[in-house]
Amino acid sequence: MDYKSEIAAKLAEITGLESEQVYKLIEIPPQVEMGDFAFPCFTLAKTLRKAPPMIAADIAGDERLASLDALTAKNVGPYVNFFIDRSYYAVNTIDSILKAGDDYGFDNEGEGKNVIVEYSSPNIAKPFHVGHAFTTIIGNSLAKIYTKLGYNVIRMNHLGDYGTQFGKLITAYRLWGDENALNEDPITELLRIYVKFHEEEKKDPSLTDSARENFKKLEDGCEEEVALWKKFRDMSLVVFDKLYKRMGMEFDNYNGESYYAKMADDVANMLKEKGLLVESEGAQVVDLEEYGVPPCIILKSDGTTIYATRDIAAILYRHETYNFDKNIYVVGTPQALHFKQVFSVMKKAGFDYADNCVHVGFGLVKFKNMKFSTRDGNIVLLEDLLNEAVAKTREVIEENSKARGQDMTAEQIDEIAEKVGIGAVIYTYVKSGRERDIVFSWEEMLDFEGDTAPYLMYTYARIKSILRKAAEQGLAPASEEDKISILTSDEEYNVIRTLADFPDAVKKAAASNEPFMISRQIALIARNFNRFYNNSSILNADSEEQKVARLALCEAVADTLKSGLDLLGIGVVERM
RNA sequence: GUUUGCGUAGCUCAGCAGGAUAGAGCGUCCGCCUCCUAAGCGGAAGGCCAGCGGUUCGAAUCCGCUCGCGAACACCA
């Protein structure tokens, strides 16, 4: 049901403007009392040579508006305000939500289309810190959002598993590696010897040569070196997968840089054949002046490939394998230029699908007065953050549980704490526009009040509790139209309005690759619901009719919150 | 230096294909648990939307300049 286009069509008929133009002018009034849609008459003032308020009065008085279903028009100053019939609105939105359940917000706009989302992409043998969480969480959410809209999503983890650093690691491992420690805690051990390598390298330059040699052997496929590399890679993946599993996500493809490195030479040859390679300061580059970007290096002066070459190989591969409709890179904003160059090279080489590649950037995670640095060790591991959040959540639950006389078992508390704690962390990454930097603070990460995941999950759990009690009393949410139609109070209506906007928020989130469009919407729903909840009794409502109608509203809110939270990568709990 | 992003309440952020009194959350102050979970709700205080100029009937929103902060800018990824 699209009221806006109906209004636009009718206004077009009356004003003589194009329907599309009217559609764009229609806005949503800042106050509820002003109605649901508004048409400003300023633009008509010139052509009609009349004051806007007069035009508004004329339009509002036009009898052709009467044919609009469930809508009434009223002129207020220079605006024509439209009011949707609340009963009609309530029935429509709640009905469609209850039919969809927690699938609410789905759409089939993406049917038959493949979307690739590349995200997370950690470097193997390196610790997974709270900075990596940004791409991981945003990417996961985008994958879910596109899936909801009917797209076939391919989740790709473009692992950082290639480069001279692995030559260093091999050298370091042979000199100082501890097999037991490696098995115990692979990343920590690998990081230890990696840091040691850099320290020793300053004193003993021969280490550099050894590392270079080992990397060369690795590239040439020498058995021992490849076996070691593979071991590091596999062990890292086990650690990462544990983390991914804990956060409820999995990938379809782990092809890392090493995978595409094999194809990079072909890319260079292809570009050469097309006559796009130019020599510059010893390197082979593609000039991109016509795109307004600096040249892109394809072959370094020593003749080897570079990450841009591998990224181009990856695009070619992905197009061939998945024939993508969209190829999304969830990679930090500092790499914007790199992607612009890569996409431009593709474009210049005549691959039009370069236009379907998009870099979705995000901000930095940083400390207040300190830089984040793996080498200096001043990082916060994502795992530590999750543990901390879960532990604090458990404290809160235990406190509340005692105070409320609940009888939760230790297992139940653990399970709830895990979901709420992780949800709280995830939410801090998706509550604002993704290009904003996040200044890491424990205080904020562990804040469970206000605009946070626990607040949303709490709202959900409270509703579930009501629904359980209702069932015990033999009460079921209303499903009949005439029963739902009594939900017309201001507070009920406010909730319904925000519920109705949810599917649009999902589409906007996809169109702008911004998960926060969803977090913002469900936060609004929860706030409106909590206001209603605090002022109107549900199970103790005046009449049976009111009880079941409100129960239907409760269920609709629960479904929508669950749907929205899931799109962010956050689960729900039935009680907390 | 070049390119680019940002500057909205004490703090963290929405709003920016121009429109009706600039909105949330946190923090502060004041209230609300004999009734569905107070991780909740209500109220108050708090803003020359960085500054200046321009376009417009109308600008936080569009354009230009200035100031302040950050990022990227060739053989790392």
Side-chain angles (χ1 to χ4, degrees):
Chain A
M1 181 54 55
D2 188 358
Y3 304 99
K4 201 170 159 185
S5 10
E6 274 184 40
I7 294 170
K10 191 60 72 180
L11 283 175
E13 189 186 324
I14 295 168
T15 61
L17 294 169
E18 291 295 315
S19 169
E20 267 178 43
Q21 193 188 344
V22 177
Y23 188 89
K24 277 195 242 167
L25 287 170
I26 293 174
E27 54 195 68
I28 292 166
Q31 309 291 326
V32 210
E33 307 86 66
M34 300 170 177
D36 301 284
F37 298 100
F39 177 69
C41 298
F42 304 100
T43 41
L44 287 170
K46 277 178 219 151
T47 47
L48 296 180
R49 272 185 284 164
K50 261 203 270 190
M54 304 224 354
I55 300 168
D58 287 348
I59 293 175
D62 195 296
E63 51 196 28
R64 279 172 286 188
L65 285 179
S67 64
L68 282 172
D69 246 11
L71 283 164
T72 49
K74 198 177 143 198
N75 59 305
V76 180
Y79 292 87
V80 183
N81 291 344
F82 292 85
F83 296 79
I84 297 175
D85 180 84
R86 290 186 178 187
S87 294
Y88 187 81
Y89 205 37
V91 169
N92 256 326
T93 58
I94 291 180
D95 186 57
S96 61
I97 295 170
L98 296 188
K99 274 188 187 131
D102 51 37
D103 203 29
Y104 183 53
F106 74 94
D107 196 277
N108 58 8
E109 70 165 60
E111 222 168 62
K113 292 177 181 167
N114 290 341
V115 170
I116 292 172
V117 183
E118 176 191 306
Y119 66 105
S120 200
S121 312
N123 290 326
I124 64 170
K126 291 257 182 73
F128 201 104
H129 59 69
V130 295
H132 297 120
F134 218 146
T135 162
T136 308
I137 287 165
I138 296 282
N140 180 243
S141 176
L142 290 177
K144 286 190 172 231
I145 290 165
Y146 279 102
T147 302
K148 189 82 138 190
L149 294 177
Y151 293 89
N152 177 42
V153 176
I154 300 110
R155 298 153 171 259
M156 300 195 95
N157 198 332
H158 193 82
L159 295 173
D161 59 0
Y162 184 86
T164 47
Q165 48 185 322
F166 295 101
K168 294 178 189 174
L169 222 42
I170 290 169
T171 296
Y173 184 69
R174 283 177 177 158
L175 289 172
W176 315 295
D178 178 340
E179 176 104 39
N180 288 330
L182 186 68
N183 290 325
E184 189 78 18
D185 187 351
I187 306 275
T188 304
E189 172 63 3
L190 290 172
L191 181 65
R192 180 185 71 84
I193 60 173
Y194 187 69
V195 170
K196 189 174 171 76
F197 180 91
H198 282 284
E199 284 166 7
E200 299 292 327
E201 192 183 23
K202 286 176 203 155
K203 300 177 232 159
D204 181 2
S206 74
L207 288 173
T208 315
D209 300 330
S210 160
R212 195 174 295 145
E213 200 175 301
N214 281 329
F215 177 60
K216 180 91 174 69
K217 283 186 182 167
L218 181 59
E219 268 202 295
D220 295 343
C222 289
E223 214 171 301
E224 278 179 49
E225 282 72 19
V226 170
L228 262 184
W229 169 83
K230 197 165 180 308
K231 181 177 176 155
F232 298 156
R233 189 181 191 272
D234 290 347
M235 289 180 118
S236 301
L237 265 183
V238 169
V239 176
F240 294 151
D241 273 333
K242 226 171 90 191
L243 199 51
Y244 292 140
K245 197 175 175 199
R246 191 174 181 195
M247 300 217 290
M249 56 180 83
E250 51 188 36
F251 293 85
D252 300 303
N253 186 308
Y254 288 90
N255 289 348
E257 289 174 70
S258 63
Y259 184 87
Y260 302 104
K262 299 171 210 150
M263 313 169 186
D265 286 335
D266 295 339
V267 170
N269 290 333
M270 178 269 289
L271 292 172
K272 194 174 209 169
E273 273 168 35
K274 295 199 182 214
L276 299 177
L277 287 191
V278 189
E279 170 158 351
S280 168
E281 292 171 39
Q284 297 291 316
V285 308
V286 176
D287 187 81
L288 298 170
E289 205 180 345
E290 65 262 52
Y291 298 92
V293 271
C296 181
I297 295 185
I298 299 297
L299 291 174
K300 297 188 275 191
S301 32
D302 64 1
T304 57
T305 61
I306 189 170
Y307 65 111
T309 327
R310 295 191 281 280
D311 271 341
I312 292 168
I315 298 178
L316 295 167
Y317 168 83
R318 289 174 189 185
H319 179 256
E320 190 163 318
T321 314
Y322 300 106
N323 188 29
F324 56 77
D325 191 70
K326 220 183 226 186
N327 179 28
I328 296 171
Y329 294 85
V330 186
V331 179
T333 263
Q335 290 197 48
L337 178 60
H338 163 69
F339 283 108
K340 214 169 173 185
Q341 288 175 308
V342 166
F343 300 159
S344 297
V345 170
M346 290 295 289
K347 190 85 175 153
K348 186 162 181 175
F351 302 104
D352 284 340
Y353 53 84
D355 291 335
N356 300 331
C357 297
V358 299
H359 172 221
V360 172
F362 54 85
L364 257 51
V365 179
K366 54 190 184 188
F367 289 119
K368 203 164 202 138
N369 293 316
M370 231 194 304
K371 275 186 186 165
F372 236 77
S373 163
T374 307
R375 271 196 218 156
D376 300 343
N378 58 358
I379 51 166
V380 176
L381 296 182
L382 178 57
E383 199 184 353
D384 291 344
L385 173 59
L386 295 181
N387 289 340
E388 202 68 36
V390 169
K392 195 192 162 190
T393 307
R394 187 182 291 109
E395 274 173 39
V396 177
I397 296 172
E398 279 166 354
E399 234 169 76
N400 288 339
S401 185
K402 228 177 273 169
R404 293 169 189 157
Q406 289 171 323
D407 52 344
M408 283 197 244
T409 64
E411 290 78 41
Q412 281 175 316
I413 291 178
D414 281 346
E415 205 186 315
I416 295 167
E418 177 80 5
K419 278 196 186 172
V420 175
I422 291 174
V425 170
I426 291 178
Y427 195 81
T428 58
Y429 286 89
V430 293
K431 70 189 289 187
S432 305
R434 60 178 153 74
E435 295 199 4
R436 287 256 178 197
D437 289 345
I438 292 178
V439 177
F440 184 87
S441 96
W442 285 102
E443 201 184 328
E444 203 184 317
M445 284 284 177
L446 302 180
D447 179 14
F448 300 161
E449 282 166 24
D451 188 13
T452 65
Y455 171 80
L456 300 173
M457 297 168 93
Y458 177 72
T459 306
Y460 176 87
R462 246 181 0 185
I463 292 173
K464 284 307 212 181
S465 172
I466 293 171
L467 290 171
R468 277 193 302 273
K469 288 206 167 131
E472 281 167 24
Q473 296 172 24
L475 286 172
S479 56
E480 302 87 340
E481 287 192 4
D482 56 324
K483 288 196 176 167
I484 293 172
S485 70
I486 65 168
L487 296 167
T488 56
S489 74
D490 281 353
E491 275 161 1
E492 289 159 346
Y493 181 60
N494 268 328
V495 177
I496 289 165
R497 211 151 82 125
T498 43
L499 287 173
D501 287 339
F502 180 73
D504 198 42
V506 178
K507 283 189 197 151
K508 279 186 187 156
S512 57
N513 294 307
E514 279 283 19
F516 99 99
M517 299 268 173
I518 288 165
S519 56
R520 200 230 268 123
Q521 188 65 28
I522 57 176
L524 197 57
I525 290 169
R527 235 178 291 133
N528 282 332
F529 177 81
N530 282 325
R531 191 173 301 141
F532 159 72
Y533 171 93
N534 264 272
N535 294 317
S536 323
S537 197
I538 294 154
L539 291 175
N540 297 313
D542 295 337
S543 65
E544 177 111 343
E545 284 71 34
Q546 218 163 40
K547 289 181 194 174
V548 294
R550 288 179 175 175
L551 283 171
L553 180 61
C554 283
E555 188 155 36
V557 171
D559 284 343
T560 309
L561 289 180
K562 188 176 181 186
S563 174
L565 283 168
D566 177 66
L567 290 176
L568 301 175
I570 300 171
V572 292
V573 293
E574 300 303 303
R575 47 191 301 204
M576 64 190 270

